Amino acid sequence: MASAATHQAPKGTRDFYPEEMAVRRHIESAWRHASIVHGFDEIDGPTFEHLSLYTVKSGDGIVNELFSFRRAGGEDDYALRPEFTPTLARMVAARAGGLSMPVKWFAIPSHFRAERPQRGRLREFIQWNVDMVGLLGAQADVDVLSTAILALERLGLGPSDVRVRLSHRGAVGAGLRALGAAAESLAEAFTLLDRRDKMDPKEFDTRARAIGLPAEAIDRFAALAKTTLPIDSDASEIAKALGCDETDAEPLADIARRLREAGLGAWCEIDLGIVRGLAYYTGTVFEIHEASGAERAIAGGGRYDRLVELFGGPSLPAVGFGMGDVVLGLVLKDRGKLPTESERSLLPRTDAFLISAGPEKADALVARLAFDLRRLGLHVRHSYKATHNVGKLLSEAGKCRARFAVIIGTELESAMVAVKDLDAGSQRLVPLAEVADAVRVAS
């Protein structure tokens, strides 16, 4: 007889069993906390959008990277969302006249990309998106970056674990023009700079010449991709590294100065090779990387001051970032910031595990007491096994990390039950009417 087919999750996706789901919720909790305390409100949008929402921004070439489809009998093309920024820009554009500025929104949705799965990059992933719309100046950039840093800190990471690599498209553009790049070729120059480390040297040289760089400038262009400066660099030091005027370097120096003033300088460095590949970025750009550089970027973002206008809204300044859970999860695991596979410490702890160990009416009481305690907000479990073996049931309570076992036994005749503190190992008799207080106060 033929064996039954083995069904697996699609390649590039994940199943979240309780332990994995607990890790996901742990990460999402840090994201949500950092967003809320910084004054961002949570939003969401549809899982799929009109395909044109993405092609209007990125061109038809992006279609190959998307899960796109046409409804049977329909005329519109759709795509599962690969990122959230176009949805956010569409939502702002739709209600721009009635929104209080600045708009501060965050979202934690699923995203999809039809790409080859590899370490740190899946076809379905969770991404935290934080955006501020309607405020010019470096203060908005700092607020957005500090939100990301607070979440990383809440997850146990520090400046020795992750680095914020900061740059500015205007400053780098001035440096590229100083090297000889034609003004009309700056977009291609940014793309080339962004992909420098992933490109064959001969191809890089050929494409560098195509954007107008003289032969003697190509090596300096390649070196620019690897140029880093300390976060306390001033405009003159940045301008010297770029070969541009100080006035062109001042916006980058300003954001660096404000990050230091906010107490975030220890996390940050200037990296002139960071320009971000998407063409809609207009000013500050940044990526957050694991300190050794062994992983893909944990997060990336920057200013996109003309994107809302592109979707039919008014001209509004905007800055934001996206942080995926895949690379972040790898970094947390590698840095020992998550429990091992044998631990369940991120799963919610049970407040009370109810054990029937006495007369028949004790069995009937378990369901009633469980509901009464749950109504008060306590996390309560009980066994579904027929055994009254207290030792085995206490072992079951331990597996679900219960704080207390409430043992309903012979003392029930006098309206008393035993409450065992499973952390301390102590046990005491408590009136049945006071079980909730005993468990809740001690918790």
Side-chain angles (χ1 to χ4, degrees):
M1 186 174 73
S3 61
T6 301
H7 296 284
Q8 299 178 337
K11 189 174 183 180
T13 67
R14 294 166 291 177
D15 291 320
F16 290 91
Y17 290 90
E19 292 80 3
E20 289 85 6
M21 196 67 196
V23 171
R24 173 176 159 181
R25 293 303 187 209
H26 173 63
I27 291 172
E28 291 175 350
S29 176
W31 288 346
R32 185 167 280 107
H33 168 84
S35 301
I36 291 172
V37 299
H38 276 81
F40 290 85
D41 295 316
E42 188 166 9
I43 63 167
D44 203 346
T47 302
F48 62 94
E49 293 271 13
H50 292 282
L51 181 61
S52 59
L53 188 76
Y54 305 112
T55 57
V56 72
K57 173 182 67 68
S58 304
D60 292 337
I62 196 175
V63 174
N64 292 330
E65 302 175 14
L66 308 181
F67 286 104
S68 58
F69 61 96
R70 175 174 291 184
R71 183 176 61 83
E75 298 180 355
D76 291 335
D77 290 315
Y78 301 95
L80 296 179
R81 60 186 173 202
E83 57 171 317
F84 196 75
T85 308
T87 295
L88 175 129
R90 174 182 62 73
M91 291 172 66
V92 171
R95 295 191 179 182
L99 295 173
S100 298
M101 298 293 167
V103 171
K104 297 177 69 175
W105 287 346
F106 79 97
I108 309 178
S110 295
H111 298 75
F112 309 86
R113 282 193 176 266
E115 299 178 324
R116 182 173 63 86
Q118 50 194 295
R119 180 176 172 87
R121 197 173 187 90
L122 299 178
R123 288 175 173 162
E124 181 182 15
F125 54 96
I126 312 300
Q127 183 168 288
W128 177 37
N129 304 273
V130 174
D131 296 271
M132 184 183 295
V133 180
L135 184 65
L136 281 170
Q139 186 56 55
D141 304 10
V142 171
D143 283 358
V144 164
L145 269 170
S146 66
T147 305
I149 290 172
L150 180 61
L152 295 172
E153 188 175 67
R154 192 173 177 86
L155 290 167
L157 298 172
S160 63
D161 301 306
V162 295
R163 305 297 298 160
V164 178
R165 300 180 183 176
L166 181 74
S167 189
H168 191 283
R169 275 204 164 203
V172 174
L176 294 175
R177 289 193 300 272
L179 285 175
E184 63 273 14
S185 300
L186 276 184
E188 175 62 22
F190 283 136
T191 300
L192 193 54
L193 189 61
D194 184 58
R195 298 178 181 175
R196 173 67 183 91
D197 292 338
K198 305 170 186 176
M199 194 175 295
D200 178 81
K202 290 184 178 180
E203 181 187 358
F204 177 81
D205 289 352
T206 299
R207 294 180 63 174
R209 286 193 294 271
I211 62 175
L213 288 181
E216 62 272 14
I218 292 178
D219 287 344
R220 283 184 289 152
F221 180 46
L224 189 64
K226 302 180 183 299
T227 299
T228 61
L229 299 169
I231 196 65
D232 59 358
S233 299
D234 60 22
S236 64
E237 292 167 320
I238 297 171
K240 182 178 179 181
L242 286 168
C244 67
D245 294 335
E246 281 191 33
T247 53
D248 293 316
E250 181 54 41
L252 180 52
D254 183 37
I255 179 68
R257 180 170 56 250
R258 289 174 179 267
L259 285 167
R260 297 196 307 271
E261 291 171 352
L264 304 174
W267 295 78
C268 306
E269 62 189 32
I270 294 170
D271 187 334
L272 300 179
I274 300 294
V275 292
R276 301 293 292 157
L278 296 172
Y280 60 68
Y281 288 114
T282 57
T284 303
V285 284
F286 55 86
E287 292 180 358
I288 303 177
H289 286 259
E290 186 269 333
S292 72
E295 301 286 354
R296 294 173 176 272
I298 297 171
R303 279 220 161 254
Y304 52 97
D305 290 342
R306 292 187 288 271
L307 190 61
V308 174
E309 187 176 2
L310 186 63
F311 291 108
S315 179
L316 290 171
V319 60
F321 69 84
M323 181 182 294
D325 73 312
V326 180
V327 176
L328 178 57
L330 292 172
V331 172
L332 292 172
K333 184 176 181 180
D334 290 345
R335 295 275 170 167
K337 305 302 181 181
L338 294 176
T340 64
E341 292 183 4
S342 62
E343 296 176 326
R344 298 162 59 89
S345 59
L346 290 180
L347 289 170
R349 290 200 68 181
T350 302
D351 292 314
F353 190 94
L354 307 187
I355 293 175
S356 171
E360 184 176 334
K361 64 179 180 180
D363 292 341
L365 182 59
V366 166
R368 172 63 183 271
L369 181 58
F371 184 75
D372 288 344
L373 295 176
R374 288 164 179 161
R375 180 184 282 148
L376 296 172
L378 293 169
H379 176 181
V380 178
R381 298 193 187 196
H382 58 81
S383 178
Y384 294 93
K385 298 175 182 177
T387 181
H388 282 185
N389 185 310
V390 174
K392 289 183 177 180
L393 294 176
L394 286 174
S395 177
E396 187 177 344
K399 290 178 181 178
C400 65
R401 301 174 60 244
R403 292 186 173 90
F404 296 91
V406 177
I407 305 170
I408 306 170
T410 55
E411 299 85 2
L412 186 58
E413 297 298 331
S414 54
M416 302 288 284
V417 295
V419 175
K420 185 177 182 67
D421 185 328
L422 297 177
D423 291 332
S426 58
Q427 181 172 312
R428 63 192 178 102
L429 289 178
V430 173
L432 181 60
E434 298 176 13
V435 168
D437 291 335
V439 173
R440 185 165 45 201
V441 172
S443 297

